[in-house]
Amino acid sequence: MELEKQKKLLVESFGLFMEKQEKLTPIAARIFATLLIDKENGLTFEELVLFLEASKSTISTNLKTLRNAEMISYHTKPGDRKKYFTLSPVGFLARIRENLKMYKTEQELLKEVRDYKVLVNKNFKEDKYTIDHDTPYLDFLTNTISQLEQLHSNIESKCSLLSVKNT
């Protein structure tokens, strides 16, 4: 019983994060968080209703919202008519692409600022601006972009492997 309580606290904490991060309704964020924990096997509609203690219509509406946003998907099992909801890799890929776009934009803007400072320093024949201050953050952005691109590539290749397996 203690593990169930801990799971509910995790779902609540991650749900609050997802509400802000992805602008989700409270219950949609908690569905997402629950599926994140149980992503290996997926959960049925009934399991979500019971665990989240929400009405069937609320769960249904929010599942539809999450599916339309490609954040979740479902599968069935042979001989079982139930739908098993899981997180969609498409949703993760979209989040990674969005973060990449944001970091790349910031990186380019910071490079333009640095180039402007270099130009001003050359024109004034003195160091009006210190250039080195931006370097650690630009390095961070470069490394983050590289890691996100690698993560995107890894998820994409796993998705293509899964689609080959399922056909």
Side-chain angles (χ1 to χ4, degrees), residues 2 11 27 36 40 42-43 61 65 69-71 89 93 95-96 105 112 115-116 118 126 128 133 148 150 153 155 159:
E2 187 60 37
V11 165
I27 197 68
L36 177 70
E40 287 77 20
L43 293 173
T61 299
T65 299
E70 296 185 315
M71 295 178 82
L93 290 172
R95 287 185 72 203
I96 292 168
T105 300
E112 287 179 32
D115 292 346
Y116 168 78
V118 167
E126 66 178 87
K128 183 173 179 162
H133 290 304
L148 284 173
Q150 183 63 47
S153 176
I155 292 172
C159 290

Side-chain angles (χ1 to χ4, degrees), residues 14-25 28-29 32 65-66 69-71 91-92 94-96 98-99:
F14 201 83
L16 287 169
F17 170 77
M18 289 302 291
E19 276 183 60
K20 293 177 184 139
Q21 183 74 21
E22 297 296 320
K23 312 286 188 267
L24 295 174
T25 64
F32 185 94
T65 299
L66 290 168
E70 296 185 315
M71 295 178 82
F92 280 122
R95 287 185 72 203
I96 292 168
E98 191 61 35
N99 282 315

Side-chain angles (χ1 to χ4, degrees), residues 10-90:
L10 277 171
V11 165
E12 185 62 24
S13 296
F14 201 83
L16 287 169
F17 170 77
M18 289 302 291
E19 276 183 60
K20 293 177 184 139
Q21 183 74 21
E22 297 296 320
K23 312 286 188 267
L24 295 174
T25 64
I27 197 68
R30 275 126 192 103
I31 290 170
F32 185 94
T34 304
L35 294 177
L36 177 70
I37 293 170
D38 287 305
K39 66 183 169 189
E40 287 77 20
N41 302 314
L43 293 173
T44 65
F45 175 80
E46 293 79 16
E47 289 170 324
L48 288 166
V49 168
L50 284 172
F51 180 75
L52 294 170
E53 300 174 359
S55 71
K56 289 180 179 183
S57 64
T58 299
I59 296 292
S60 179
T61 299
N62 285 280
L63 283 172
K64 184 177 181 180
T65 299
L66 290 168
R67 278 196 344 258
N68 289 342
E70 296 185 315
M71 295 178 82
I72 66 169
S73 57
Y74 69 85
H75 64 275
T76 57
K77 297 179 182 179
D80 188 351
R81 293 175 47 191
K82 294 179 182 175
K83 293 178 181 177
Y84 291 84
F85 294 93
T86 57
L87 296 183
S88 169
V90 173

Side-chain angles (χ1 to χ4, degrees), residues 4 7 11 34 44-45 58-59 77 82 88 107 111 131 133 141-142 145 147 149 161:
E4 191 73 6
K7 181 179 176 181
V11 165
T34 304
T44 65
F45 175 80
T58 299
I59 296 292
K77 297 179 182 179
K82 294 179 182 175
S88 169
Q107 181 187 44
K111 285 179 180 179
I131 309 301
H133 290 304
L141 288 173
T142 301
I145 289 166
Q147 290 177 351
E149 287 172 338
L161 286 175

Side-chain angles (χ1 to χ4, degrees), residues 127-138:
D127 286 345
K128 183 173 179 162
Y129 293 111
T130 305
I131 309 301
D132 298 344
H133 290 304
D134 300 334
T135 304
Y137 191 63
L138 277 168

